[in-house]
Amino acid sequence: MPGVLLGDVFPNFEAETTIGKIKFHDFLGDSWGILFSHPKDFTPVCTTELACAASLTKNFQKRGVKMIALSIDSVEDHRNWSKDVMAFNDDLESPLPFPIIADDKRELSVQLGMLDPDERDKDGMPLTARCVFVVGPDKKLKLSILYPATTGRNFDEILRVIDSLQLTAQKKVATPVNWKPGDKVMVIPTLSEAEAASHFPSGVTTKELPSGKKYLRYTQP
Ligand code: BEZ
């Protein structure tokens, strides 16, 4: 089955975009990256999503994440639709602050497993689902999310998972349910008690459990 799995080096594809032809790895440079697809230009939910992504550009920049969108529409459609997207944010002056890939031949969408067989255009051709790929500076896939066309994504959640990915790439911790930056984190299970004590000088709190096992260990990162 085509697609990219966690830990895979993300394909270094070439693509036409609203900023010209790119090679994905060159586009990313040493940054983190987010590639997110939408089903179709000039559709309502997609417009709200890309407008939200545009409004959060500074938040992605702050985290060192380069943004790029993708759909099966042409560069010309992307350029025209971008004005509607920015108008949705009541910004008639600024260009869309990230490029959009024109995958009108669906080659990339097939390679990356992005097509939704249940959503089709008026000619019966499948549309791209709402995929999110977060790629690390090592060019490996760190996270993927796949939503159907009928459900818009939550870009605050995407920023939250990027915070988790970036924290857990640096420290031997995992982020618990509904974690947000500043909250306590969990010590990863593979770390021994002695290792945990040396890694986390601020201290480790272990919750007592009926099993007697000491795996629920909190610390402040
Ligand atoms: C939308 O963006 O509103 C949309 C696009 C394709 C199918 C359903 C909804």
Side-chain angles (χ1 to χ4, degrees), residues 69-103:
L70 177 152
S71 82
I72 45 70
D73 302 281
S74 65
V75 167
E76 191 189 357
D77 276 351
H78 287 335
R79 290 206 175 118
N80 289 329
W81 178 54
S82 295
K83 295 176 201 145
D84 289 1
V85 170
M86 295 308 285
F88 183 81
N89 283 346
D90 296 321
D91 184 347
L92 299 173
E93 303 298 322
S94 316
L96 190 72
F98 49 81
I100 313 180
I101 295 169
D103 189 32

PDB file of all heavy atoms in Angstrom, residues 69-103:
ATOM      1  N   ALA A  69       1.098  23.385   1.824  1.00  0.00           N
ATOM      2  CA  ALA A  69      -0.201  22.734   1.625  1.00  0.00           C
ATOM      3  C   ALA A  69      -0.175  21.971   0.296  1.00  0.00           C
ATOM      4  O   ALA A  69       0.774  22.095  -0.489  1.00  0.00           O
ATOM      5  CB  ALA A  69      -1.303  23.783   1.648  1.00  0.00           C
ATOM      6  N   LEU A  70      -1.205  21.192   0.062  1.00  0.00           N
ATOM      7  CA  LEU A  70      -1.281  20.387  -1.171  1.00  0.00           C
ATOM      8  C   LEU A  70      -2.733  20.083  -1.493  1.00  0.00           C
ATOM      9  O   LEU A  70      -3.514  19.780  -0.585  1.00  0.00           O
ATOM     10  CB  LEU A  70      -0.519  19.072  -0.972  1.00  0.00           C
ATOM     11  CG  LEU A  70      -0.514  18.041  -2.106  1.00  0.00           C
ATOM     12  CD1 LEU A  70       0.763  17.195  -2.034  1.00  0.00           C
ATOM     13  CD2 LEU A  70      -1.724  17.132  -2.137  1.00  0.00           C
ATOM     14  N   SER A  71      -3.087  20.170  -2.769  1.00  0.00           N
ATOM     15  CA  SER A  71      -4.326  19.544  -3.239  1.00  0.00           C
ATOM     16  C   SER A  71      -4.164  19.186  -4.707  1.00  0.00           C
ATOM     17  O   SER A  71      -3.143  19.483  -5.312  1.00  0.00           O
ATOM     18  CB  SER A  71      -5.554  20.431  -3.010  1.00  0.00           C
ATOM     19  OG  SER A  71      -5.669  21.382  -4.048  1.00  0.00           O
ATOM     20  N   ILE A  72      -5.220  18.596  -5.258  1.00  0.00           N
ATOM     21  CA  ILE A  72      -5.152  18.095  -6.630  1.00  0.00           C
ATOM     22  C   ILE A  72      -5.524  19.185  -7.650  1.00  0.00           C
ATOM     23  O   ILE A  72      -5.770  18.883  -8.810  1.00  0.00           O
ATOM     24  CB  ILE A  72      -6.044  16.837  -6.802  1.00  0.00           C
ATOM     25  CG1 ILE A  72      -7.435  17.006  -6.139  1.00  0.00           C
ATOM     26  CG2 ILE A  72      -5.383  15.649  -6.132  1.00  0.00           C
ATOM     27  CD1 ILE A  72      -8.356  17.955  -6.771  1.00  0.00           C
ATOM     28  N   ASP A  73      -5.541  20.433  -7.210  1.00  0.00           N
ATOM     29  CA  ASP A  73      -5.856  21.550  -8.107  1.00  0.00           C
ATOM     30  C   ASP A  73      -4.574  22.099  -8.752  1.00  0.00           C
ATOM     31  O   ASP A  73      -3.466  21.753  -8.357  1.00  0.00           O
ATOM     32  CB  ASP A  73      -6.557  22.658  -7.313  1.00  0.00           C
ATOM     33  CG  ASP A  73      -7.818  22.159  -6.656  1.00  0.00           C
ATOM     34  OD1 ASP A  73      -8.847  22.041  -7.354  1.00  0.00           O
ATOM     35  OD2 ASP A  73      -7.782  21.847  -5.445  1.00  0.00           O
ATOM     36  N   SER A  74      -4.776  22.981  -9.733  1.00  0.00           N
ATOM     37  CA  SER A  74      -3.642  23.555 -10.481  1.00  0.00           C
ATOM     38  C   SER A  74      -3.027  24.731  -9.716  1.00  0.00           C
ATOM     39  O   SER A  74      -3.662  25.307  -8.813  1.00  0.00           O
ATOM     40  CB  SER A  74      -4.136  24.056 -11.834  1.00  0.00           C
ATOM     41  OG  SER A  74      -5.048  25.121 -11.622  1.00  0.00           O
ATOM     42  N   VAL A  75      -1.818  25.114 -10.124  1.00  0.00           N
ATOM     43  CA  VAL A  75      -1.173  26.295  -9.532  1.00  0.00           C
ATOM     44  C   VAL A  75      -2.061  27.527  -9.739  1.00  0.00           C
ATOM     45  O   VAL A  75      -2.221  28.354  -8.827  1.00  0.00           O
ATOM     46  CB  VAL A  75       0.228  26.516 -10.160  1.00  0.00           C
ATOM     47  CG1 VAL A  75       0.766  27.891  -9.807  1.00  0.00           C
ATOM     48  CG2 VAL A  75       1.194  25.437  -9.700  1.00  0.00           C
ATOM     49  N   GLU A  76      -2.660  27.625 -10.911  1.00  0.00           N
ATOM     50  CA  GLU A  76      -3.500  28.793 -11.191  1.00  0.00           C
ATOM     51  C   GLU A  76      -4.695  28.856 -10.231  1.00  0.00           C
ATOM     52  O   GLU A  76      -4.999  29.915  -9.660  1.00  0.00           O
ATOM     53  CB  GLU A  76      -3.991  28.736 -12.644  1.00  0.00           C
ATOM     54  CG  GLU A  76      -4.639  30.016 -13.091  1.00  0.00           C
ATOM     55  CD  GLU A  76      -5.315  29.885 -14.450  1.00  0.00           C
ATOM     56  OE1 GLU A  76      -5.237  28.818 -15.080  1.00  0.00           O
ATOM     57  OE2 GLU A  76      -5.954  30.890 -14.850  1.00  0.00           O
ATOM     58  N   ASP A  77      -5.352  27.716 -10.027  1.00  0.00           N
ATOM     59  CA  ASP A  77      -6.469  27.681  -9.065  1.00  0.00           C
ATOM     60  C   ASP A  77      -5.975  28.034  -7.656  1.00  0.00           C
ATOM     61  O   ASP A  77      -6.614  28.794  -6.929  1.00  0.00           O
ATOM     62  CB  ASP A  77      -7.120  26.291  -9.033  1.00  0.00           C
ATOM     63  CG  ASP A  77      -8.158  26.118 -10.133  1.00  0.00           C
ATOM     64  OD1 ASP A  77      -8.490  27.123 -10.794  1.00  0.00           O
ATOM     65  OD2 ASP A  77      -8.616  24.977 -10.339  1.00  0.00           O
ATOM     66  N   HIS A  78      -4.820  27.459  -7.274  1.00  0.00           N
ATOM     67  CA  HIS A  78      -4.282  27.751  -5.934  1.00  0.00           C
ATOM     68  C   HIS A  78      -4.063  29.260  -5.759  1.00  0.00           C
ATOM     69  O   HIS A  78      -4.396  29.828  -4.715  1.00  0.00           O
ATOM     70  CB  HIS A  78      -2.937  27.054  -5.726  1.00  0.00           C
ATOM     71  CG  HIS A  78      -3.011  25.568  -5.520  1.00  0.00           C
ATOM     72  ND1 HIS A  78      -4.108  24.921  -5.021  1.00  0.00           N
ATOM     73  CD2 HIS A  78      -2.074  24.598  -5.719  1.00  0.00           C
ATOM     74  CE1 HIS A  78      -3.855  23.619  -4.931  1.00  0.00           C
ATOM     75  NE2 HIS A  78      -2.636  23.409  -5.353  1.00  0.00           N
ATOM     76  N   ARG A  79      -3.478  29.881  -6.804  1.00  0.00           N
ATOM     77  CA  ARG A  79      -3.166  31.315  -6.686  1.00  0.00           C
ATOM     78  C   ARG A  79      -4.451  32.131  -6.555  1.00  0.00           C
ATOM     79  O   ARG A  79      -4.538  33.050  -5.736  1.00  0.00           O
ATOM     80  CB  ARG A  79      -2.361  31.785  -7.905  1.00  0.00           C
ATOM     81  CG  ARG A  79      -0.950  31.209  -7.894  1.00  0.00           C
ATOM     82  CD  ARG A  79       0.029  32.092  -8.663  1.00  0.00           C
ATOM     83  NE  ARG A  79       1.380  31.548  -8.521  1.00  0.00           N
ATOM     84  CZ  ARG A  79       2.134  31.117  -9.529  1.00  0.00           C
ATOM     85  NH1 ARG A  79       1.692  31.211 -10.771  1.00  0.00           N
ATOM     86  NH2 ARG A  79       3.343  30.629  -9.302  1.00  0.00           N
ATOM     87  N   ASN A  80      -5.459  31.773  -7.362  1.00  0.00           N
ATOM     88  CA  ASN A  80      -6.728  32.524  -7.303  1.00  0.00           C
ATOM     89  C   ASN A  80      -7.443  32.280  -5.974  1.00  0.00           C
ATOM     90  O   ASN A  80      -7.957  33.216  -5.347  1.00  0.00           O
ATOM     91  CB  ASN A  80      -7.631  32.125  -8.473  1.00  0.00           C
ATOM     92  CG  ASN A  80      -7.095  32.660  -9.780  1.00  0.00           C
ATOM     93  OD1 ASN A  80      -6.460  33.729  -9.810  1.00  0.00           O
ATOM     94  ND2 ASN A  80      -7.311  31.937 -10.868  1.00  0.00           N
ATOM     95  N   TRP A  81      -7.465  31.022  -5.559  1.00  0.00           N
ATOM     96  CA  TRP A  81      -8.174  30.681  -4.309  1.00  0.00           C
ATOM     97  C   TRP A  81      -7.484  31.304  -3.084  1.00  0.00           C
ATOM     98  O   TRP A  81      -8.157  31.681  -2.113  1.00  0.00           O
ATOM     99  CB  TRP A  81      -8.247  29.159  -4.180  1.00  0.00           C
ATOM    100  CG  TRP A  81      -8.900  28.656  -2.925  1.00  0.00           C
ATOM    101  CD1 TRP A  81     -10.136  28.990  -2.449  1.00  0.00           C
ATOM    102  CD2 TRP A  81      -8.346  27.734  -1.978  1.00  0.00           C
ATOM    103  NE1 TRP A  81     -10.390  28.323  -1.273  1.00  0.00           N
ATOM    104  CE2 TRP A  81      -9.314  27.553  -0.969  1.00  0.00           C
ATOM    105  CE3 TRP A  81      -7.144  27.041  -1.897  1.00  0.00           C
ATOM    106  CZ2 TRP A  81      -9.112  26.698   0.118  1.00  0.00           C
ATOM    107  CZ3 TRP A  81      -6.939  26.187  -0.826  1.00  0.00           C
ATOM    108  CH2 TRP A  81      -7.904  26.020   0.175  1.00  0.00           C
ATOM    109  N   SER A  82      -6.140  31.425  -3.157  1.00  0.00           N
ATOM    110  CA  SER A  82      -5.388  31.999  -2.020  1.00  0.00           C
ATOM    111  C   SER A  82      -5.944  33.369  -1.623  1.00  0.00           C
ATOM    112  O   SER A  82      -5.957  33.730  -0.443  1.00  0.00           O
ATOM    113  CB  SER A  82      -3.909  32.156  -2.370  1.00  0.00           C
ATOM    114  OG  SER A  82      -3.338  30.899  -2.564  1.00  0.00           O
ATOM    115  N   LYS A  83      -6.401  34.123  -2.630  1.00  0.00           N
ATOM    116  CA  LYS A  83      -6.951  35.468  -2.329  1.00  0.00           C
ATOM    117  C   LYS A  83      -8.235  35.324  -1.508  1.00  0.00           C
ATOM    118  O   LYS A  83      -8.482  36.106  -0.588  1.00  0.00           O
ATOM    119  CB  LYS A  83      -7.217  36.229  -3.631  1.00  0.00           C
ATOM    120  CG  LYS A  83      -5.947  36.533  -4.400  1.00  0.00           C
ATOM    121  CD  LYS A  83      -6.256  37.207  -5.732  1.00  0.00           C
ATOM    122  CE  LYS A  83      -5.089  37.046  -6.690  1.00  0.00           C
ATOM    123  NZ  LYS A  83      -5.475  36.901  -8.076  1.00  0.00           N
ATOM    124  N   ASP A  84      -9.052  34.333  -1.840  1.00  0.00           N
ATOM    125  CA  ASP A  84     -10.278  34.085  -1.052  1.00  0.00           C
ATOM    126  C   ASP A  84      -9.911  33.678   0.379  1.00  0.00           C
ATOM    127  O   ASP A  84     -10.552  34.103   1.351  1.00  0.00           O
ATOM    128  CB  ASP A  84     -11.112  32.947  -1.654  1.00  0.00           C
ATOM    129  CG  ASP A  84     -11.793  33.327  -2.960  1.00  0.00           C
ATOM    130  OD1 ASP A  84     -11.608  34.478  -3.411  1.00  0.00           O
ATOM    131  OD2 ASP A  84     -12.491  32.457  -3.524  1.00  0.00           O
ATOM    132  N   VAL A  85      -8.884  32.834   0.476  1.00  0.00           N
ATOM    133  CA  VAL A  85      -8.463  32.348   1.807  1.00  0.00           C
ATOM    134  C   VAL A  85      -8.052  33.529   2.678  1.00  0.00           C
ATOM    135  O   VAL A  85      -8.484  33.648   3.841  1.00  0.00           O
ATOM    136  CB  VAL A  85      -7.300  31.333   1.671  1.00  0.00           C
ATOM    137  CG1 VAL A  85      -6.703  31.005   3.040  1.00  0.00           C
ATOM    138  CG2 VAL A  85      -7.774  30.059   0.971  1.00  0.00           C
ATOM    139  N   MET A  86      -7.237  34.429   2.112  1.00  0.00           N
ATOM    140  CA  MET A  86      -6.786  35.575   2.908  1.00  0.00           C
ATOM    141  C   MET A  86      -7.952  36.524   3.179  1.00  0.00           C
ATOM    142  O   MET A  86      -8.025  37.141   4.255  1.00  0.00           O
ATOM    143  CB  MET A  86      -5.619  36.288   2.211  1.00  0.00           C
ATOM    144  CG  MET A  86      -4.368  35.423   2.115  1.00  0.00           C
ATOM    145  SD  MET A  86      -3.838  34.711   3.694  1.00  0.00           S
ATOM    146  CE  MET A  86      -3.126  36.133   4.498  1.00  0.00           C
ATOM    147  N   ALA A  87      -8.879  36.629   2.225  1.00  0.00           N
ATOM    148  CA  ALA A  87     -10.057  37.484   2.431  1.00  0.00           C
ATOM    149  C   ALA A  87     -10.910  36.945   3.582  1.00  0.00           C
ATOM    150  O   ALA A  87     -11.542  37.714   4.317  1.00  0.00           O
ATOM    151  CB  ALA A  87     -10.876  37.569   1.150  1.00  0.00           C
ATOM    152  N   PHE A  88     -10.931  35.624   3.741  1.00  0.00           N
ATOM    153  CA  PHE A  88     -11.680  35.043   4.858  1.00  0.00           C
ATOM    154  C   PHE A  88     -11.132  35.564   6.183  1.00  0.00           C
ATOM    155  O   PHE A  88     -11.868  35.716   7.157  1.00  0.00           O
ATOM    156  CB  PHE A  88     -11.586  33.509   4.813  1.00  0.00           C
ATOM    157  CG  PHE A  88     -12.392  32.827   5.879  1.00  0.00           C
ATOM    158  CD1 PHE A  88     -13.757  32.635   5.726  1.00  0.00           C
ATOM    159  CD2 PHE A  88     -11.801  32.385   7.058  1.00  0.00           C
ATOM    160  CE1 PHE A  88     -14.513  32.027   6.715  1.00  0.00           C
ATOM    161  CE2 PHE A  88     -12.536  31.771   8.057  1.00  0.00           C
ATOM    162  CZ  PHE A  88     -13.902  31.590   7.882  1.00  0.00           C
ATOM    163  N   ASN A  89      -9.822  35.847   6.196  1.00  0.00           N
ATOM    164  CA  ASN A  89      -9.188  36.432   7.399  1.00  0.00           C
ATOM    165  C   ASN A  89      -9.262  37.955   7.374  1.00  0.00           C
ATOM    166  O   ASN A  89      -8.553  38.611   8.145  1.00  0.00           O
ATOM    167  CB  ASN A  89      -7.706  36.016   7.462  1.00  0.00           C
ATOM    168  CG  ASN A  89      -7.522  34.598   7.939  1.00  0.00           C
ATOM    169  OD1 ASN A  89      -8.442  33.984   8.463  1.00  0.00           O
ATOM    170  ND2 ASN A  89      -6.323  34.059   7.746  1.00  0.00           N
ATOM    171  N   ASP A  90     -10.075  38.511   6.453  1.00  0.00           N
ATOM    172  CA  ASP A  90     -10.187  39.973   6.283  1.00  0.00           C
ATOM    173  C   ASP A  90      -8.835  40.604   5.985  1.00  0.00           C
ATOM    174  O   ASP A  90      -8.565  41.732   6.410  1.00  0.00           O
ATOM    175  CB  ASP A  90     -10.813  40.628   7.524  1.00  0.00           C
ATOM    176  CG  ASP A  90     -12.243  40.169   7.729  1.00  0.00           C
ATOM    177  OD1 ASP A  90     -12.958  40.025   6.718  1.00  0.00           O
ATOM    178  OD2 ASP A  90     -12.627  39.928   8.892  1.00  0.00           O
ATOM    179  N   ASP A  91      -7.985  39.875   5.284  1.00  0.00           N
ATOM    180  CA  ASP A  91      -6.680  40.399   4.893  1.00  0.00           C
ATOM    181  C   ASP A  91      -6.612  40.383   3.364  1.00  0.00           C
ATOM    182  O   ASP A  91      -6.373  39.342   2.745  1.00  0.00           O
ATOM    183  CB  ASP A  91      -5.572  39.532   5.502  1.00  0.00           C
ATOM    184  CG  ASP A  91      -4.194  40.089   5.207  1.00  0.00           C
ATOM    185  OD1 ASP A  91      -4.077  40.984   4.349  1.00  0.00           O
ATOM    186  OD2 ASP A  91      -3.226  39.610   5.831  1.00  0.00           O
ATOM    187  N   LEU A  92      -6.847  41.548   2.782  1.00  0.00           N
ATOM    188  CA  LEU A  92      -6.881  41.620   1.316  1.00  0.00           C
ATOM    189  C   LEU A  92      -5.526  42.021   0.737  1.00  0.00           C
ATOM    190  O   LEU A  92      -5.355  42.086  -0.473  1.00  0.00           O
ATOM    191  CB  LEU A  92      -7.963  42.615   0.860  1.00  0.00           C
ATOM    192  CG  LEU A  92      -9.388  42.244   1.292  1.00  0.00           C
ATOM    193  CD1 LEU A  92     -10.380  43.362   0.959  1.00  0.00           C
ATOM    194  CD2 LEU A  92      -9.841  40.942   0.625  1.00  0.00           C
ATOM    195  N   GLU A  93      -4.563  42.282   1.618  1.00  0.00           N
ATOM    196  CA  GLU A  93      -3.255  42.783   1.181  1.00  0.00           C
ATOM    197  C   GLU A  93      -2.197  41.677   1.098  1.00  0.00           C
ATOM    198  O   GLU A  93      -1.410  41.640   0.151  1.00  0.00           O
ATOM    199  CB  GLU A  93      -2.738  43.859   2.170  1.00  0.00           C
ATOM    200  CG  GLU A  93      -3.682  45.038   2.371  1.00  0.00           C
ATOM    201  CD  GLU A  93      -3.894  45.801   1.070  1.00  0.00           C
ATOM    202  OE1 GLU A  93      -2.922  45.950   0.307  1.00  0.00           O
ATOM    203  OE2 GLU A  93      -5.037  46.212   0.804  1.00  0.00           O
ATOM    204  N   SER A  94      -2.180  40.796   2.103  1.00  0.00           N
ATOM    205  CA  SER A  94      -1.058  39.853   2.219  1.00  0.00           C
ATOM    206  C   SER A  94      -1.267  38.648   1.322  1.00  0.00           C
ATOM    207  O   SER A  94      -2.391  38.167   1.160  1.00  0.00           O
ATOM    208  CB  SER A  94      -0.925  39.358   3.657  1.00  0.00           C
ATOM    209  OG  SER A  94      -1.067  40.425   4.559  1.00  0.00           O
ATOM    210  N   PRO A  95      -0.153  38.113   0.806  1.00  0.00           N
ATOM    211  CA  PRO A  95      -0.264  36.825   0.100  1.00  0.00           C
ATOM    212  C   PRO A  95      -0.405  35.695   1.112  1.00  0.00           C
ATOM    213  O   PRO A  95      -0.063  35.867   2.291  1.00  0.00           O
ATOM    214  CB  PRO A  95       1.076  36.716  -0.641  1.00  0.00           C
ATOM    215  CG  PRO A  95       2.031  37.529   0.173  1.00  0.00           C
ATOM    216  CD  PRO A  95       1.222  38.620   0.854  1.00  0.00           C
ATOM    217  N   LEU A  96      -0.894  34.545   0.666  1.00  0.00           N
ATOM    218  CA  LEU A  96      -0.915  33.371   1.544  1.00  0.00           C
ATOM    219  C   LEU A  96       0.533  33.108   1.979  1.00  0.00           C
ATOM    220  O   LEU A  96       1.429  33.047   1.140  1.00  0.00           O
ATOM    221  CB  LEU A  96      -1.479  32.165   0.778  1.00  0.00           C
ATOM    222  CG  LEU A  96      -1.777  30.926   1.612  1.00  0.00           C
ATOM    223  CD1 LEU A  96      -3.017  31.150   2.485  1.00  0.00           C
ATOM    224  CD2 LEU A  96      -1.989  29.706   0.725  1.00  0.00           C
ATOM    225  N   PRO A  97       0.772  32.973   3.289  1.00  0.00           N
ATOM    226  CA  PRO A  97       2.163  32.939   3.766  1.00  0.00           C
ATOM    227  C   PRO A  97       2.880  31.595   3.613  1.00  0.00           C
ATOM    228  O   PRO A  97       3.952  31.410   4.167  1.00  0.00           O
ATOM    229  CB  PRO A  97       2.026  33.330   5.243  1.00  0.00           C
ATOM    230  CG  PRO A  97       0.633  33.005   5.609  1.00  0.00           C
ATOM    231  CD  PRO A  97      -0.203  33.066   4.380  1.00  0.00           C
ATOM    232  N   PHE A  98       2.280  30.657   2.896  1.00  0.00           N
ATOM    233  CA  PHE A  98       2.980  29.385   2.638  1.00  0.00           C
ATOM    234  C   PHE A  98       2.568  28.905   1.246  1.00  0.00           C
ATOM    235  O   PHE A  98       1.498  29.257   0.751  1.00  0.00           O
ATOM    236  CB  PHE A  98       2.633  28.336   3.709  1.00  0.00           C
ATOM    237  CG  PHE A  98       1.163  28.189   3.977  1.00  0.00           C
ATOM    238  CD1 PHE A  98       0.353  27.422   3.142  1.00  0.00           C
ATOM    239  CD2 PHE A  98       0.566  28.843   5.049  1.00  0.00           C
ATOM    240  CE1 PHE A  98      -1.006  27.308   3.382  1.00  0.00           C
ATOM    241  CE2 PHE A  98      -0.793  28.737   5.295  1.00  0.00           C
ATOM    242  CZ  PHE A  98      -1.582  27.969   4.455  1.00  0.00           C
ATOM    243  N   PRO A  99       3.422  28.088   0.612  1.00  0.00           N
ATOM    244  CA  PRO A  99       3.088  27.608  -0.729  1.00  0.00           C
ATOM    245  C   PRO A  99       2.055  26.480  -0.716  1.00  0.00           C
ATOM    246  O   PRO A  99       1.849  25.831   0.315  1.00  0.00           O
ATOM    247  CB  PRO A  99       4.434  27.095  -1.261  1.00  0.00           C
ATOM    248  CG  PRO A  99       5.270  26.820  -0.070  1.00  0.00           C
ATOM    249  CD  PRO A  99       4.771  27.672   1.063  1.00  0.00           C
ATOM    250  N   ILE A 100       1.432  26.273  -1.862  1.00  0.00           N
ATOM    251  CA  ILE A 100       0.527  25.122  -2.044  1.00  0.00           C
ATOM    252  C   ILE A 100       1.041  24.304  -3.232  1.00  0.00           C
ATOM    253  O   ILE A 100       1.317  24.855  -4.311  1.00  0.00           O
ATOM    254  CB  ILE A 100      -0.930  25.535  -2.325  1.00  0.00           C
ATOM    255  CG1 ILE A 100      -1.413  26.608  -1.348  1.00  0.00           C
ATOM    256  CG2 ILE A 100      -1.840  24.312  -2.273  1.00  0.00           C
ATOM    257  CD1 ILE A 100      -2.877  27.054  -1.606  1.00  0.00           C
ATOM    258  N   ILE A 101       1.161  23.000  -3.018  1.00  0.00           N
ATOM    259  CA  ILE A 101       1.585  22.081  -4.085  1.00  0.00           C
ATOM    260  C   ILE A 101       0.400  21.809  -5.001  1.00  0.00           C
ATOM    261  O   ILE A 101      -0.718  21.559  -4.523  1.00  0.00           O
ATOM    262  CB  ILE A 101       2.091  20.748  -3.482  1.00  0.00           C
ATOM    263  CG1 ILE A 101       3.359  20.998  -2.653  1.00  0.00           C
ATOM    264  CG2 ILE A 101       2.338  19.712  -4.574  1.00  0.00           C
ATOM    265  CD1 ILE A 101       3.775  19.803  -1.795  1.00  0.00           C
ATOM    266  N   ALA A 102       0.663  21.853  -6.324  1.00  0.00           N
ATOM    267  CA  ALA A 102      -0.374  21.528  -7.317  1.00  0.00           C
ATOM    268  C   ALA A 102      -0.154  20.094  -7.772  1.00  0.00           C
ATOM    269  O   ALA A 102       0.695  19.821  -8.627  1.00  0.00           O
ATOM    270  CB  ALA A 102      -0.271  22.484  -8.497  1.00  0.00           C
ATOM    271  N   ASP A 103      -0.928  19.170  -7.173  1.00  0.00           N
ATOM    272  CA  ASP A 103      -0.773  17.749  -7.528  1.00  0.00           C
ATOM    273  C   ASP A 103      -1.890  17.356  -8.481  1.00  0.00           C
ATOM    274  O   ASP A 103      -2.623  16.392  -8.234  1.00  0.00           O
ATOM    275  CB  ASP A 103      -0.787  16.910  -6.239  1.00  0.00           C
ATOM    276  CG  ASP A 103      -0.420  15.454  -6.505  1.00  0.00           C
ATOM    277  OD1 ASP A 103       0.387  15.203  -7.430  1.00  0.00           O
ATOM    278  OD2 ASP A 103      -0.941  14.581  -5.805  1.00  0.00           O
TER     279      ASP A 103
END
